[in-house]
RNA sequence: GCGCCAGUAGCUCAGUAGGAUAGAGCAACGGAUUUCUAAUCCGUAGGUCAGGGGUUCGAAUCCCUUCUGGCGUGCCA
C-alpha cells in the first residue's frame, strides 16, 4: 500500500528530473530501522544509464522527493540507497482505512477474477487420511482462501482414484475380513492387501448391513458390492475428517465416472490423432520421448487395461477444457516422474503448459518425545488426520503445516504442537488477539468507546512503536498478493507472528487505557482494534480461529 | 548413472523476484508481575549461510563444481 505510493512518487520524480530509468528497481523495508521506513535502489540501478554516479543521482532524487508533504525525510546512504521516512499522517490515513474496510482489509482485485483450479489431497480412497494429506489439506485450503481474497476465482477439487487395481485390492482385503467374520480361518493374509484395523471395521459394518447375503453372490458381483460399499464408506469418513479440519471441496472428481463417461477413450483418441501412440509387445505406447521424457510410456497394458497414466491424462484434459487460467496440482514428492509424463502428454495435445503448475509438498517426519514415529501403511500403523486433530487440535495442526514453505521437509513434534505455552507459535498469535479483546472489553466497561472518537486525534499516535505497527498492518495486502503469486501461504503465517510480536512488545511498554488521557486512550484503542482486525483476517485465511478469550 | 527437492545458530525454521551489520522461536543463562490476561516482555550467549570457484558496485540468494540427506527413475497407483 505504502510501497505503491512511494513507487508512484519515485517514477513521477524520475520523469520530472528527466532521468532514464527501468521499472526493475525495488522498494524495500530495510532490516535496520536507522535506514528508514523504506529504501530504494533506484539510483544504484539507473546511474550508469544516465552517466552519473549513483550517490549524485540519489541526492537529486532525494532533494526533489522531500519537497512533497508526505515525506518526513529522504536521505542518501551507502553506495546510493535512498532511505525514506514517511510523515505520520500518511500512516494515520492508512490506519483509518484498515478500520473502515473491516474484515475486507487486505482484499483486492489483483486476481482479476481469473479462474484457478486447486487440486489437493486427492488421497486414494483405500483408507483414512494420513498426516501428509493433512498437510496438503491445510496448504491447499489456505492458498484457496488467500487467492480468493485477492481477487481470483479459485476452486478446490479432490480427485478420487476410485477405479483400477488398488481398489480391487481393497475389495479383496474386505472380502478376507468378511469371510473371517463368517468363521473362515485365514492362514495367510496377502502382503499386498490392506492391513489396517479399519478394514476389519469396514467388514464388520458391511456384515451388519448385509449379513451373510453377500456370501451367496457370484465372486465378481460380491467383490463389486464390497468395493462400492467400501468406497462410499471411506469417502464419507474422508469427507468428515476434512470437514473437522475446516476443509471442503467445491468438486469431488471421480475416476470411475471419468471412465464411465468414456473420457479415457477420448483421451487416447486425441493422443492417437496427434500421432503420439504406437503398438508394441501387445501394448499401446505413448511416444513421450518426443516431448522430453526419458523413455516412452505404456498407456494400455498387454492385458488390455489402461495404466494409471491414462485416467490422469483424461482428467487433466477435463481441467483444460473447463477453462481455468491456472491449474495447480499439489502433489507429494514422489510424483516427479509422474508429472513429467503428464506434462509430456499435455504438450503432445498442444495444451499450454504454463497454465499447469505443480507444487510438491515434501514429507513429514513425526516426532513424539524426541523419537521418530515410524509409519507403515502396509502394516496398518499410521497416524491419521483424525488422530492428529484429536491430539493437537485443528488450529495448531493447520498452523504448523502452513508455517513451513511447501518445498521444505517438515519435522512435526506432536508434543510441541500440543503445548499451550510460549513454545508454541500458534498461541502466540491467538493470544495477541485475545489480549486485545480483553482490553477492548475493559474499555467498554470504563465507557471509553470509539463511537465518540474523532480521527483527528490520531496524531497522538506518534511513538516509534505505534508507527511501526501501522506500517506492519499496512503490509497485509502486499503480503497476501505475494503469497498468492508464489503459492506460499507461509508468508502469511510468518507475517502474523511478526505482527503479534510487535503488539506484545507494545502492550508491555505502553498502557492502552488511561482515564486521564481519554483522547490518547481512544487513539490507542483505535490502533489495537486495527491490529485485532488484521490478526483475525490473517488467521481466518489460514483456517485458524481467533479466540476472544484464552 | 540420470532427474527433482533440500543443506542457514545446539534444535525447528524465516530470509520478501541480489541490497547495507544474516533474523525469529525453542533450548541455555540472567532479569521484569500491588498493572489493560506472564500463553507476555527485557537482556546475555550462540553463525566459515555444507565446501570450492565464478558473475558485480554488492551473493545465503544467480551460474559452475564437489560433498551430504530425502524422493523418484514399473505393462503399481
Amino acid at each position: 500500500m505504502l510501497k505503491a505510493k512511494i513507487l508512484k512518487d519515485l517514477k513521477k520524480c524520475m520523469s520530472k528530473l528527466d532521468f532514464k530509468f527501468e521499472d526493475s528497481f525495488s522498494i524495500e523495508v530495510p532490516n535496520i530501522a536507522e535506514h528508514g521506513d523504506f529504501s530504494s535502489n533506484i539510483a544504484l540501478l539507473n546511474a550508469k544509464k544516465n552517466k552519473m554516479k549513483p550517490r549524485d543521482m540519489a541526492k537529486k532524487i532525494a532533494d526533489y522527493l522531500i519537497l512533497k508533504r508526505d515525506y518526513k525525510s529522504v536521505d542518501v546512504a551507502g553506495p546510493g540507497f535512498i532511505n525514506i521516512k514517511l510523515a505520520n499522517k500518511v500512516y494515520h490515513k492508512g490506519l483509518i482505512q484498515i478500520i473502515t474496510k473491516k474484515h475486507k482489509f487486505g482484499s483486492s482485485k489483483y486476481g482479476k477474477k481469473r479462474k484457478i483450479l486447486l487440486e489437493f489431497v486427492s488421497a486414494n480412497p483405500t483408507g483414512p487420511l494420513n498426516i501428509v494429506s493433512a498437510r496438503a489439506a491445510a496448504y491447499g485450503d489456505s492458498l484457496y482462501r488467500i487467492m480468493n481474497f485477492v481477487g481470483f476465482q479459485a476452486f478446490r477439487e479432490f480427485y478420487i482414484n476410485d477405479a483400477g487395481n488398488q481398489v480391487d485390492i481393497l475389495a479383496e482385503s474386505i472380502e478376507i475380513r468378511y469371510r473371517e467374520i463368517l468363521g473362515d480361518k485365514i492362514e495367510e493374509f496377502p502382503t499386498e492387501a490392506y492391513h489396517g484395523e479399519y478394514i476389519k471395521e469396514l467388514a464388520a459394518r458391511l456384515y451388519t448391513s448385509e449379513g451373510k447375503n453377500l456370501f451367496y453372490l457370484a465372486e465378481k458381483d460380491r467383490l463389486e458390492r464390497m468395493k462400492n460399499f467400501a468406497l462410499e464408506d471411506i469417502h464419507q469418513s474422508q469427507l468428515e475428517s476434512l470437514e473437522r479440519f475446516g476443509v471442503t471441496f467445491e468438486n469431488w472428481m471421480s475416476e470411475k465416472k471419468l471412465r464411465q463417461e468414456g473420457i479415457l477413450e477420448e483421451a487416447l483418441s486425441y493422443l492417437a490423432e496427434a500421432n503420439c501412440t504406437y503398438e508394441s509387445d501387445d501394448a499401446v505406447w505413448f511416444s513421450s520421448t518426443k516431448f522430453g521424457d526419458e523413455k516412452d510410456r505404456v498407456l494400455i497394458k498387454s492385458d488390455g487395461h489402461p495404466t494409471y497414466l491414462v485416467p490422469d491424462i483424461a482428467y487433466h484434459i477435463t481441467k483444460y477444457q473447463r477453462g481455468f487460467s491456472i491449474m495447480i496440482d499439489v502433489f507429494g514428492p514422489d510424483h516427479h516422474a509422474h508429472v513429467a509424463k503428464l506434462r509430456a502428454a499435455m504438450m503432445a495435445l498442444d495444451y499450454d503448459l504454463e497454465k499447469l503448475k505443480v507444487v510438491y509438498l515434501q514429507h513429514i517426519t513425526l516426532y513424539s518425545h524426541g523419537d521418530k514415529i515410524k509409519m507403515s501403511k502396509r502394516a496398518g500403523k499410521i497416524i491419521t488426520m483424525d488422530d492428529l486433530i484429536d491430539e493437537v487440535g485443528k488450529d495448531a495442526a493447520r498452523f504448523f503445516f502452513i508455517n513451513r514453505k511447501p518445498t521444505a521437509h517438515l519435522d512435526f513434534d506432536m508434543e510441541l504442537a500440543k503445548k499451550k505455552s510460549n513454545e508454541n507459535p500458534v498461541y502466540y498469535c491467538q493470544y495477541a488477539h485475545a489480549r486485545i479483546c480483553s482490553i477492548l472489553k475493559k474499555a467498554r466497561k470504563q465507557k471509553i468507546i470509539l463511537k465518540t472518537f474523532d480521527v483527528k486525534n490520531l496524531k497522538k499516535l506518534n511513538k516509534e512503536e505505534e508507527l511501526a505497527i501501522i506500517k506492519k498492518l499496512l503490509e497485509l495486502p502486499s503480503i497476501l498478493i505475494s503469497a498468492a503469486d508464489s503459492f506460499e501461504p507461509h508468508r502469511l503465517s510468518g507475517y502474523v507472528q511478526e505482527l503479534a510480536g510487535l503488539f506484545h512488545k507494545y502492550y508491555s511498554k505502553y498502557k492502552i487505557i488511561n482515564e486521564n488521557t481519554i483522547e490518547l486512550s481512544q487513539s490507542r484503542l483505535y490502533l489495537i482494534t486495527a491490529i485485532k482486525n488484521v490478526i483475525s483476517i490473517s488467521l481466518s485465511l489460514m483456517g485458524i480461529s481467533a479466540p476472544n478469550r484464552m
Side-chain angles (χ1 to χ4, degrees):
Chain A
M1 232 171 155
L2 298 179
K3 271 188 201 174
K5 175 199 162 44
I6 297 169
L7 188 79
K8 210 168 126 193
D9 288 347
L10 268 178
K11 281 187 182 173
K12 212 185 273 175
C13 166
M14 292 297 273
S15 325
K16 283 270 182 205
L17 291 171
D18 255 344
F19 287 145
K20 292 177 209 150
F21 70 100
E22 281 177 18
D23 282 350
S24 59
F25 69 93
S26 68
I27 293 163
E28 300 187 345
V29 177
N31 294 324
I32 302 152
E34 292 143 31
H35 290 160
D37 299 341
F38 297 92
S39 148
S40 178
N41 59 359
I42 188 165
L44 280 166
L45 292 183
N46 294 296
K48 252 185 207 165
K49 208 166 285 152
N50 294 284
K51 292 181 183 151
M52 292 180 80
K53 285 182 183 169
R55 280 197 67 105
D56 295 345
M57 185 174 186
K59 182 80 174 58
K60 290 228 156 122
I61 298 170
D63 286 347
Y64 185 86
L65 211 55
I66 194 67
L67 299 176
K68 292 183 178 257
R69 263 188 230 151
D70 289 343
Y71 292 82
K72 192 190 279 174
S73 72
V74 185
D75 301 314
V76 177
F81 289 104
I82 300 173
N83 293 339
I84 295 165
K85 281 191 180 166
L86 293 172
N88 292 4
K89 67 164 189 185
V90 178
Y91 290 110
H92 297 148
K93 260 192 217 162
L95 186 59
I96 294 168
Q97 284 220 1
I98 298 171
I99 297 282
T100 347
K101 289 192 176 169
K102 293 183 182 158
H103 61 277
K104 291 214 172 128
F105 174 70
S107 68
S108 56
K109 293 183 175 162
Y110 175 79
K112 295 180 183 154
K113 292 194 174 166
R114 274 173 290 173
K115 281 175 73 185
I116 311 291
L117 182 68
L118 269 159
E119 184 211 332
F120 56 101
V121 184
S122 296
N124 287 336
T126 53
L129 293 175
N130 60 22
I131 197 152
V132 180
S133 298
R135 181 180 192 182
Y139 170 81
D141 186 59
S142 297
L143 188 54
Y144 161 82
R145 292 174 194 231
I146 292 168
M147 291 191 103
N148 271 349
F149 202 62
V150 298
F152 291 96
Q153 265 190 292
F155 296 87
R156 291 165 292 187
E157 190 160 276
F158 187 122
Y159 178 57
I160 315 172
N161 294 107
D162 52 0
N165 203 7
Q166 50 176 354
V167 280
D168 291 336
I169 295 173
L170 174 69
E172 283 157 24
S173 312
I174 303 271
E175 183 185 57
I176 294 169
R177 295 305 186 196
Y178 177 75
R179 279 175 26 218
E180 223 170 28
I181 294 171
L182 292 180
D184 273 17
K185 279 249 187 309
I186 310 297
E187 303 91 43
E188 218 178 312
F189 201 74
T191 44
E192 73 275 9
Y194 293 99
H195 286 226
E197 277 302 306
Y198 66 94
I199 297 289
K200 289 185 189 169
E201 292 162 17
L202 249 168
R205 280 200 291 281
L206 181 65
Y207 180 75
T208 312
S209 84
E210 298 280 352
K212 286 185 190 171
N213 294 340
L214 295 180
F215 194 65
Y216 305 112
L217 293 175
E219 190 187 9
K220 197 183 157 206
D221 295 336
R222 183 169 68 234
L223 283 173
E224 191 62 24
R225 287 276 287 275
M226 289 178 168
K227 192 201 284 182
N228 290 336
F229 180 87
L231 284 175
E232 183 52 31
D233 191 287
I234 290 172
H235 169 65
Q236 275 307 322
S237 72
Q238 288 189 346
L239 196 127
E240 280 163 26
S241 303
L242 285 163
E243 262 175 22
R244 285 183 70 199
F245 208 49
V247 181
T248 53
F249 288 85
E250 277 70 45
N251 193 25
W252 295 73
M253 185 63 99
S254 153
E255 180 185 340
K256 196 161 74 182
K257 222 176 245 172
L258 287 181
R259 288 183 188 233
Q260 283 165 356
E261 288 169 4
I263 297 179
L264 268 60
E265 287 76 9
E266 217 174 287
L268 287 168
S269 70
Y270 290 155
L271 283 171
E273 276 169 36
N275 274 325
C276 297
T277 60
Y278 62 90
E279 279 188 46
S280 169
D281 300 331
D282 292 331
V284 178
W285 294 72
F286 167 38
S287 42
S288 54
T289 36
K290 285 187 196 166
F291 308 97
D293 202 358
E294 36 184 64
K295 60 185 203 177
D296 288 349
R297 309 290 172 178
V298 173
L299 294 169
I300 306 287
K301 296 186 268 185
S302 47
D303 66 3
H305 291 296
T307 61
Y308 71 106
L309 184 57
V310 181
D312 236 35
I313 291 172
Y315 173 41
H316 278 82
I317 290 174
T318 72
K319 286 189 181 181
Y320 273 102
Q321 286 172 343
R322 283 180 278 162
F324 294 102
S325 302
I326 304 174
M327 293 153 285
I328 305 170
D329 287 357
V330 180
F331 284 141
D334 45 352
H335 278 70
H336 308 275
H338 173 60
V339 170
K341 301 172 205 170
L342 195 61
R343 293 180 77 89
M346 293 303 119
M347 213 191 289
L349 298 174
D350 223 10
Y351 285 116
D352 182 2
L353 283 185
E354 280 300 303
K355 291 183 172 181
L356 183 62
K357 307 280 185 189
V358 180
V359 176
Y360 300 99
L361 286 183
Q362 293 298 314
H363 278 309
I364 297 171
T365 315
L366 265 189
Y367 287 86
S368 181
H369 303 288
D371 297 323
K372 257 189 196 176
I373 302 177
K374 288 201 173 148
M375 289 194 272
S376 152
K377 212 171 187 181
R378 287 255 178 272
K381 268 191 235 160
I382 51 167
I383 304 274
T384 65
M385 184 160 154
D386 281 320
D387 294 339
L388 184 73
I389 300 172
D390 292 339
E391 283 279 315
V392 309
K394 179 192 78 158
D395 286 347
R398 284 190 73 133
F399 192 94
F400 271 74
F401 288 143
I402 295 165
N403 202 24
R404 298 275 171 282
K405 66 181 167 199
T407 52
H409 289 252
L410 170 59
D411 282 347
F412 191 94
D413 185 326
M414 299 279 277
E415 267 64 43
L416 175 61
K418 254 189 283 186
K419 268 187 198 165
K420 301 198 176 205
S421 75
N422 54 355
E423 290 168 54
N424 192 332
V426 192
Y427 297 104
Y428 187 75
C429 302
Q430 291 184 319
Y431 183 51
H433 187 268
R435 253 185 167 174
I436 292 172
C437 289
S438 158
I439 300 168
L440 293 175
K441 198 172 156 194
K442 189 185 168 190
R444 277 195 299 275
K445 262 189 199 158
Q446 299 191 3
K447 303 260 166 18
I448 304 175
I449 44 176
L450 289 175
K451 266 186 191 164
T452 59
F453 178 63
D454 185 344
V455 288
K456 279 181 193 147
N457 289 318
L458 282 180
K459 58 174 178 279
K460 293 193 183 297
L461 294 180
N462 53 22
K463 293 273 187 291
E464 204 180 296
E465 288 87 350
E466 291 164 335
L467 296 170
I469 287 174
I470 299 172
K471 182 172 151 200
K472 182 60 77 178
L473 291 172
L474 291 171
E475 279 173 24
L476 180 71
S478 62
I479 292 282
L480 292 176
I481 286 168
S482 83
D485 262 346
S486 58
F487 312 145
E488 290 183 345
H490 79 276
R491 296 186 188 200
L492 179 58
S493 72
Y495 168 79
V496 195
Q497 286 177 79
E498 284 171 23
L499 177 60
L502 287 181
F503 166 72
H504 285 309
K505 284 179 181 67
Y506 177 61
Y507 171 91
S508 58
K509 191 165 173 185
Y510 299 101
K511 195 124 172 74
I512 311 286
I513 300 173
N514 184 340
E515 289 162 53
N516 301 322
T517 55
I518 298 291
E519 282 169 2
L520 177 63
S521 298
Q522 282 178 321
S523 301
R524 288 183 172 169
L525 286 170
Y526 196 85
L527 174 64
I528 65 168
T529 304
I531 300 174
K532 172 177 174 279
N533 189 30
V534 170
I535 292 179
S536 148
I537 291 167
S538 306
L539 289 179
S540 133
L541 288 174
M542 293 190 279
I544 296 169
S545 66
N548 292 342
R549 257 195 328 187
M550 284 173 78

